[in-house]
Structure formats: C-alpha cells, structure tokens
C-alpha cells in the first residue's frame, strides 16, 4: 500500500498481500520511509518488493472489454487517467452501439462494436465484464470464431472475468475454443476509476511460473489501487467485502450526511463533511497501521459526545448489520456459481 505525502513515500506493508514476480528484489518487511518519489512497491509472501512502473506493460499491447458497463468503464477510465493505456489500445463491445459510443467517446475510445468476436481478435487481454447470467449468451456469440480462430503459444491471450460467482473451471470450460489461453477471475471495485480501488483475483496455473500477461494484468490493477492474489475459495468472500463494499460505504456516507442535515447543517456541506470524514478515517487506518478499535477509543473521551454516538450505533446493531451484509453478498455470489 503506497501513500505519497510531501517529499516522501510512506509504505505500509501487509503480510498477506501477494503479487506475481518473486524474482524482484526484496527491500524490507516493516513500515519504511523512502525519499524518492515515484518508486513503487508491492507485498509478497516473502516481503516488500520493488516493481516496475505501472505503465511498463511487458507483453500486452491492446486491451478489450466484452461489456461496456460501469465496471468496465471504471477499469478503463482509471488505466487511461494513470497513463497505463492509451485510448487507441482499447476495444469495447456492448449490445447498443449508440449508447456505447456516447459513454466511451469522452475517454477518447473510438474502437466500439456490437461484435464480441472483434474484441477478442483485437486484444491481448480481454476483460469479460457482463452479468454472470449473460456468459452463455456471450459464448454463443463467440461460437462463430470456432472454425477460423487458431490459438497457439505465440498468440496466447489472457481472459479476465469479473463475473461474480463464475468459477475458473466454468471459465475454462466455456473458453475451450480459445485454448491454449490464460484465465483469471478478478473482483475489482468501482473506486479504481479514481485510482483507489481494490482488486482480488485468482488464476489458472498459479503453481507455475508467472507468464508476462499475468504480470501485465497485475500491473494494471496495481496502478488503480490495492491488489491481492488469493485462492479461488476466497473469491466469493472478497466479492461480498471489497466488490460490494463501496455500496455499503456510500450508504453510510449518505446516512451520516442525513444526520448532519437533521441537525441543521446545509445538505452540500453535510455531504462533503461526511465523505471527507470517511476518507480521513480510512487513510488513518492505513497510514498508522493501528486497529480501528484503537483509533475509535482515541476519539471517545469519557462521558463525551463521541461515546454517546457510538452507543447509539451499538443499539442499532451497526456492526452486526454490516457483517450480515458481507455474509449475504458472499452467499449470493456463491449462488451465481
């Protein structure tokens, strides 16, 4: 996790943050200040490692999106804003070309199509960004390539699914016609469009050396926030926590602002104060490494206003309700498998 502040980079290492590329130099395991701006690090099981610039993709020259909805847009807009990709490297497909062009044209993306096959033919990395129930429809549409598409080691592609609940096994079965290929299952979240997202992923061949396209995928996600590679058994839980989590936080921000409005604060000011408070609290957790309970206790003076407010949250079972939300979303992701 990397945070730039003034003339330094503060790096907070998390032991369970994993990333491909074990051959890079290990530079330390504890919280460390580095004075050189622009240096990027990521965590592996063996320590904190230095990696190349987010823009330094090794093999990927073109990226495609099957499905041009909110998540595809968040990934693409984030990669464009970070300079990882240029607009002419992106191809996007959707069912309605007019709507697709209207949304993606402001990003400079002109390669838009209703033909999913064109996305595959034009791309090295293909993000499958449709609803899980639409996957079979996409496969039927791609069946027309069966007679003409010839995959081999020299033109091997990487398919990255962000479809909740669709397993690697299901993806391998559905994408048989494109073998040999690389397949990953990822769960990003929408804040990556502003560079502070979370992505959790698993991949086929995780017990083998990491091919360059997997490294490129990780580099793209790392440019947009925090990245963890996990076992596939953790993917549904990651969906319930990080994939769905922004919606929970937006609900909390709205409720916090409404509370301020009820007490007489103007709506615009209340919303700004609520959002800034949540952002500041989150950054404090990440920057200090302190447990949220410790930070909460630091705010709660004996008999003060904060502890009275915390008591009201406890009476409303806020923590239990949030945990139930993660559990419910996790179960739903599993049902979609």
């Amino acid at each position: 996790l990397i945070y730039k502040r003034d003339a330094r980079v503060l790096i907070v290492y998390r032991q369970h943050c994993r990333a491909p590329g074990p051959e890079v130099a290990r530079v330390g395991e504890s919280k460390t200040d580095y004075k050189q701006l622009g240096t990027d690090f990521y965590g592996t099981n063996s320590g904190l490692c230095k990696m190349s610039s987010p823009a330094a993709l090794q093999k990927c020259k073109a990226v495609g999106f099957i499905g041009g909805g909110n998540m595809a847009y968040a990934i693409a807009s984030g990669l464009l804003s970070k300079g990882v990709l240029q607009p002419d490297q992106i191809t996007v497909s959707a069912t309605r070309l007019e709507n697709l062009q209207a949304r993606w044209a402001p990003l400079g993306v002109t390669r838009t199509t209703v033909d999913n096959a064109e996305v595959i033919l034009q791309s090295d990395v293909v993000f499958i960004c449709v609803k899980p129930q639409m996957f079979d429809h996409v496969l039927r549409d791609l069946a027309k390539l069966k007679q003409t598409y010839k995959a081999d080691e020299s033109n091997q592609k990487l398919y990255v699914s962000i479809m909740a609940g669709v397993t690697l096994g299901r993806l391998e079965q559905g994408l048989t016609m494109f073998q040999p290929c690389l397949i990953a299952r990822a769960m990003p979240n929408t804040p990556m469009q502003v560079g502070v997202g979370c992505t959790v992923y698993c991949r086929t061949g995780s017990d083998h050396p990491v091919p360059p396209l997997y490294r490129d995928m990780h580099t793209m996600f790392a440019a947009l926030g925090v990245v963890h590679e996990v076992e596939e058994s953790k993917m549904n839980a990651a969906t319930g926590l990080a994939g769905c989590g922004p919606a929970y936080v937006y609900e909390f921000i709205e409720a916090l602002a409404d509370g301020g409005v009820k007490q007489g604060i103007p709506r615009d000011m209340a919303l700004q104060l609520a959002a800034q408070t949540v952002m500041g609290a989150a950054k404090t957790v990440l920057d200090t490494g302190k447990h949220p309970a410790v930070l909460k206790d630091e705010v709660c003076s004996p008999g003060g206003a904060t502890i009275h407010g915390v008591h009201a949250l406890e009476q409303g079972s806020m923590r239990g309700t949030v945990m139930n939300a993660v559990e419910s979303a996790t179960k739903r992701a599993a049902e979609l498998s």
Side-chain angles (χ1 to χ4, degrees):
L1 306 178
I2 305 164
Y3 302 95
K4 294 182 180 179
R5 183 166 55 201
D6 299 325
R8 298 189 300 174
V9 177
L10 177 63
I11 299 170
V12 182
Y13 170 64
R14 293 287 181 267
Q15 182 177 0
H16 298 295
C17 180
R18 298 180 59 201
E23 77 284 359
V24 294
R26 175 173 171 176
V27 296
E29 293 186 349
S30 60
K31 186 188 302 183
T32 311
D33 285 339
Y34 289 86
K35 294 185 178 180
Q36 183 179 359
L37 280 174
T39 304
D40 296 301
F41 296 82
Y42 62 79
T44 71
N45 283 347
S46 60
L48 190 65
C49 296
K50 185 176 180 179
M51 67 182 291
S52 59
S53 165
L57 300 181
Q58 298 180 31
K59 187 175 180 180
C60 177
K61 304 300 181 186
V63 172
F65 295 89
I66 294 178
N70 291 336
M71 199 65 250
Y73 187 88
I75 296 171
S77 60
L79 292 174
L80 290 170
S81 67
K82 293 290 185 178
V84 178
L85 294 175
Q86 298 302 314
D88 61 2
Q89 293 177 280
I90 295 176
T91 306
V92 192
S93 66
T95 55
R96 295 185 178 181
L97 186 59
E98 184 177 342
N99 293 345
L100 189 64
Q101 291 173 334
R103 185 172 195 189
W104 288 74
L107 295 180
V109 176
T110 58
R111 292 182 179 178
T112 53
T113 178
V114 295
D115 187 358
N116 295 325
E118 183 179 346
V119 174
I120 289 179
L121 295 174
Q122 296 291 335
S123 308
D124 300 309
V125 175
V126 179
F127 288 91
I128 305 175
C129 303
V130 298
K131 291 180 172 59
Q133 56 269 32
M134 293 298 295
F135 185 43
D136 286 337
H137 172 78
V138 169
L139 293 177
R140 286 193 296 270
D141 184 47
L142 294 176
K144 59 190 173 188
L145 288 175
K146 193 170 185 178
Q147 301 301 322
T148 58
Y149 184 84
K150 301 297 181 184
D152 56 44
E153 296 294 339
S154 64
N155 69 345
Q156 195 175 45
K157 299 179 185 292
L158 168 59
Y159 296 88
V160 184
S161 165
I162 66 165
M163 297 180 290
V166 179
T167 65
L168 288 175
R170 175 74 181 92
L171 292 167
E172 286 185 291
Q173 180 184 26
L175 297 170
T176 299
M177 73 182 82
F178 301 113
Q179 297 286 357
C181 65
L182 305 172
I183 297 174
R185 176 184 172 189
M187 181 46 61
N189 63 17
T190 53
M192 62 173 32
Q193 64 188 308
V194 292
V196 287
C198 299
T199 302
V200 177
Y201 71 89
C202 59
R203 59 186 175 88
T204 56
S206 57
D207 54 345
H208 295 98
V210 183
L213 282 178
Y214 276 136
R215 298 179 189 277
D216 286 345
M217 176 194 70
H218 185 93
T219 297
M220 285 187 272
F221 284 139
L224 305 179
V226 176
V227 187
H228 291 268
E229 182 183 358
V230 299
E231 298 174 355
E232 187 171 22
S233 61
K234 303 290 194 302
M235 285 299 298
N236 290 333
T239 299
L241 171 59
C244 305
Y248 314 152
V249 178
Y250 297 145
E251 287 265 329
F252 179 77
I253 291 172
E254 182 184 25
L256 196 61
D258 283 346
V261 171
K262 183 179 180 181
Q263 300 306 313
I265 298 176
R267 169 69 62 182
D268 289 348
M269 183 188 298
L271 186 57
Q272 183 187 47
L273 291 174
Q276 181 71 22
T277 297
V278 170
M279 182 175 70
K283 194 172 189 304
T284 302
V285 171
L286 295 172
D287 279 11
T288 65
K290 292 182 179 180
H291 193 282
V294 173
L295 293 170
K296 180 260 296 179
D297 286 349
E298 290 177 357
V299 184
C300 292
S301 302
T306 304
I307 192 62
H308 279 73
V310 169
H311 183 209
L313 292 175
E314 293 291 349
Q315 287 179 315
S317 301
M318 186 197 76
R319 287 193 290 182
T321 300
V322 173
M323 292 170 69
N324 287 341
V326 175
E327 182 178 32
S328 181
T330 299
K331 289 180 177 178
R332 179 55 181 161
E335 291 170 359
L336 294 172
S337 300

